[in-house]
Amino acid sequence: MILSSYKRIHRRYLMKKATIKDVSDLSGYSISTVSRVLNGNYPVKKQTKETILEAINKLHFTRNSVARNLRTNKTNIIGLVVADINNPYYSKIAKALDDGLFKRNYSLLVCNTDESEQKECKILETLIDKGVDFIIISPVSKNAELLRTIKNNGINVIIIDRNIGVSDFPFVGSDDFKEAKKLTEYLITRGHSKIAFITGTQKATTSQERLFGFRAALVENHLTFSNESLIEGLYKEEMAYENITKFLKRNQHNIQPYTAIFSSNNLMTLGLIKAAKELSISIPNDLSIVSFGQIELQDIIQPNVTCIKQNIDSMVELIFKNIDQLADDPTATISNDFIANSFLLGNSVKKIK
Amino acid sequence: MILSSYKRIHRRYLMKKATIKDVSDLSGYSISTVSRVLNGNYPVKKQTKETILEAINKLHFTRNSVARNLRTNKTNIIGLVVADINNPYYSKIAKALDDGLFKRNYSLLVCNTDESEQKECKILETLIDKGVDFIIISPVSKNAELLRTIKNNGINVIIIDRNIGVSDFPFVGSDDFKEAKKLTEYLITRGHSKIAFITGTQKATTSQERLFGFRAALVENHLTFSNESLIEGLYKEEMAYENITKFLKRNQHNIQPYTAIFSSNNLMTLGLIKAAKELSISIPNDLSIVSFGQIELQDIIQPNVTCIKQNIDSMVELIFKNIDQLADDPTATISNDFIANSFLLGNSVKKIK
DNA sequence: GTGAAAGCGCTAACAT
DNA sequence: ATGTTAGCGCTTTCAC
């Protein structure tokens, strides 16, 4: 009992933090003058300013942002909602974003959906609660309604990566259809006609668009598209690894085996490479592969995977274009920005026939 | 003019968010009762509760955390301060942390120091301002004073990865000296006696400890340690790459060339592999390497690097032990926890002599 | 079980 | 140029 009481007192002692009132008392000026010095938005006599700054230093005072946020209805926090911050694709975006945000005096709250719609929903609610100024989201689901609620709460929303196909929100991402088609056409020009496709999560538009692009390339080249060529990967390495292993085992007994596989994201490409390696299937000799999204250490890994490399720098640049615009005027015109990606030629595709 | 006025009105309309007062008005109960329903910490009549919940739903009300935080002096935000979230080592930590924090209803603010002391300082100030409940930091510098100020502001500090050698803060990380020594001894038992060492940033204690461990192993085995065997890498891939390239070029003309290199973090190991590859130096045939810290895709990359793999799961587990303890009682006893790492045997070291 | 009211630390009118 | 004061939306005593 005594101990617990002691702790409580000690705790309170620790919690003691100087407030603007303390600065006001010590310096002899009113809190508004202190506030003006803090914000530098109104003229203050040089002498006064110095006295106040002295008091601030003496008390180790730093402003309580929470109180400030309550007044100004701004938090200078931006929520980034992605599938998994451990995916290098997203961690690169996070890093590049943070660099620019630091300069703009914003902080980044990172949230992982793990591709779960339910988790995404809870995250968004938390972000509304927290009063973040912006939400930058690569959405799991096409829940435009929830995003509209957010917008009505005065939070700016920027959709990245996965377009949800509505016009209320700015979007920055790839032209998945076009790029996937291009990548497939490359396989076809190299003589491949039986091509399998590793799919992402059903919900994600990127996944659908990439599949459509793939199919379009086949159809245009008078090749048949069949659902049997689809391998479910859910955008996850582990899932892809398992299903690809099964697929490749089956494929070895096919009369007309698949000669190439299109992986629709970076993580699943890793699962693909591992599966092939374990089954002693040589890339590109026994199997050709392409990837939508670059894998890490591209230049060290064998095979060097031919892929679409998403241009993260220009992506982040466009995100900032939107941020700066919306910070200035939340009603600014909404635009869909497609980034220019690169086609990276590796050695993972064999020319056949 | 007219447009701009329209925009301002429109903006205000957008900003409108239901408050507890609105719920109170609609339901007919006082704001205190609404608050009690919200928090569920006081008894409320079932009937009352239902009426209020109905109003909450009708208004799409969610509580304003900022106001709540101001009252309760808690934010449910935890700041994670690391060198670079794009380093897989840190992004793994961030992900694992976020998983556990989500369950505890905390959010994670991620900050990158870029190994800059100055940036670290600014970040910490911002985090104090923002009133985060915890700061989990892998410090650039040994600035115990600043961390003490933070603690005095009522913010719990947990140091990870890089110990600053004071006893005021809980620490979770590796026993760098011991592990580095072990790794070096492995090289020695495989017959290597001329071993170079790629250093991290001077300021980081991990860097120093790893170097001490390296040197201790040499000395104990009656091998000479020389400053000439040090390659400066600053824990950065690019920096390591450049200096290693120079080093290896020089080394080719040595009468007694170095036969092995110890890289003291994962990023620099990548720089090392790239440098060797470009100079057509084969690992392990021409050069043996070991790494403190696992590189990604270990099982795909050639060479498979013999390394100390830091056990992130147990690291995060220990961090949570501290979080839970400190959340319960900020004056809880402080402990230094060393995680048990794994020695991963690869094929990057040749047996010589 | 419920309501009234104080106040968390700050900003921004509005005074002077 | 500086001071006074009214809240921002919420929690929490203190009444009843």
Side-chain angles (χ1 to χ4, degrees), chain A residues 14 86 91 98 152 277 299, chain B residues 14 86 91 112 152 277 299:
Chain A
L14 284 175
N86 195 31
S91 75
D98 184 68
N152 287 335
K277 196 174 180 189
D299 36 359
Chain B
L14 283 176
N86 195 31
S91 76
N112 303 283
N152 287 335
K277 196 174 180 186
D299 36 359

Side-chain angles (χ1 to χ4, degrees), chain A residues 214-228:
Chain A
F214 170 74
R215 193 168 59 186
L218 292 185
V219 171
E220 277 186 21
N221 286 276
H222 311 296
L223 296 171
T224 49
F225 169 83
S226 142
N227 280 327
E228 279 160 32

Side-chain angles (χ1 to χ4, degrees), chain B residues 168-228:
Chain B
D168 331 25
F169 308 98
F171 168 78
V172 178
S174 303
D175 187 339
D176 293 287
F177 180 87
K178 199 185 81 184
E179 314 269 16
K181 188 156 170 273
K182 195 199 290 180
L183 205 49
T184 312
E185 283 161 355
Y186 174 72
L187 284 173
I188 296 172
T189 60
R190 301 280 286 181
H192 294 273
S193 55
K194 284 213 71 172
I195 309 170
F197 184 97
I198 313 170
T199 61
T201 65
Q202 305 279 8
K203 297 268 174 194
T205 50
T206 49
S207 179
Q208 295 161 12
E209 290 293 314
R210 287 169 198 183
L211 180 54
F212 290 160
F214 170 74
R215 195 168 57 184
L218 293 185
V219 171
E220 276 185 23
N221 286 276
H222 313 294
L223 296 171
T224 49
F225 168 81
S226 144
N227 281 328
E228 279 162 29

Side-chain angles (χ1 to χ4, degrees), chain A residues 81-82 109-114 116-127 130, chain B residues 76-78 93-109 316 320 323-324:
Chain A
V81 184
V82 296
L109 209 51
V110 174
C111 309
N112 303 284
T113 63
D114 296 322
S116 150
E117 225 169 321
Q118 203 192 337
K119 198 171 172 202
E120 176 176 85
C121 203
K122 265 205 73 181
I123 287 170
L124 290 175
E125 266 170 30
T126 309
L127 291 178
K130 291 242 187 303
Chain B
N76 277 36
I77 294 180
I78 290 190
I93 292 176
K95 179 56 169 56
L97 268 179
D98 183 69
D99 283 347
L101 290 179
F102 185 75
K103 287 177 199 137
R104 291 165 173 79
N105 202 28
Y106 279 96
S107 299
L108 197 64
L109 211 49
V316 170
F320 276 117
I323 289 178
D324 292 336

Side-chain angles (χ1 to χ4, degrees), chain B residues 70-95:
Chain B
L70 180 60
R71 246 334 279 250
T72 59
N73 202 25
K74 274 205 67 183
T75 54
N76 277 36
I77 294 180
I78 290 190
L80 176 68
V81 184
V82 295
D84 179 1
I85 191 62
N86 195 31
N87 179 340
Y89 174 62
Y90 290 121
S91 76
K92 272 183 199 157
I93 292 176
K95 179 56 169 56

Side-chain angles (χ1 to χ4, degrees), chain B residues 267-336:
Chain B
L267 298 182
M268 301 194 298
T269 305
L270 295 178
L272 171 54
I273 293 176
K274 283 183 190 167
K277 196 174 180 186
E278 275 187 19
L279 296 170
S280 299
I281 293 171
S282 157
I283 300 171
N285 288 333
D286 306 334
L287 181 72
S288 295
I289 69 172
V290 293
S291 168
F292 199 116
Q294 188 187 23
I295 60 174
E296 292 307 282
L297 315 181
Q298 180 91 18
D299 36 359
I300 292 182
I301 287 177
Q302 190 49 241
N304 182 344
V305 180
T306 295
C307 67
I308 298 294
K309 176 189 172 181
Q310 284 153 301
N311 190 336
I312 287 172
D313 285 342
S314 73
M315 184 155 178
V316 170
E317 203 177 292
L318 287 166
I319 294 175
F320 276 117
K321 190 198 76 179
N322 279 292
I323 289 178
D324 292 336
Q325 216 166 281
L326 289 170
D328 184 52
D329 171 15
T331 67
T333 327
I334 280 136
S335 65
N336 277 22

Side-chain angles (χ1 to χ4, degrees), chain A residues 125-156:
Chain A
E125 266 170 30
T126 309
L127 291 178
I128 298 176
D129 267 27
K130 291 242 187 303
V132 298
D133 296 338
F134 284 84
I135 290 179
I136 301 173
I137 182 172
S138 168
V140 177
S141 59
K142 296 203 212 177
N143 195 340
E145 220 33 71
L146 181 50
L147 294 181
R148 283 199 189 104
T149 305
I150 292 171
K151 200 172 168 183
N152 287 335
N153 276 323
I155 300 175
N156 295 303

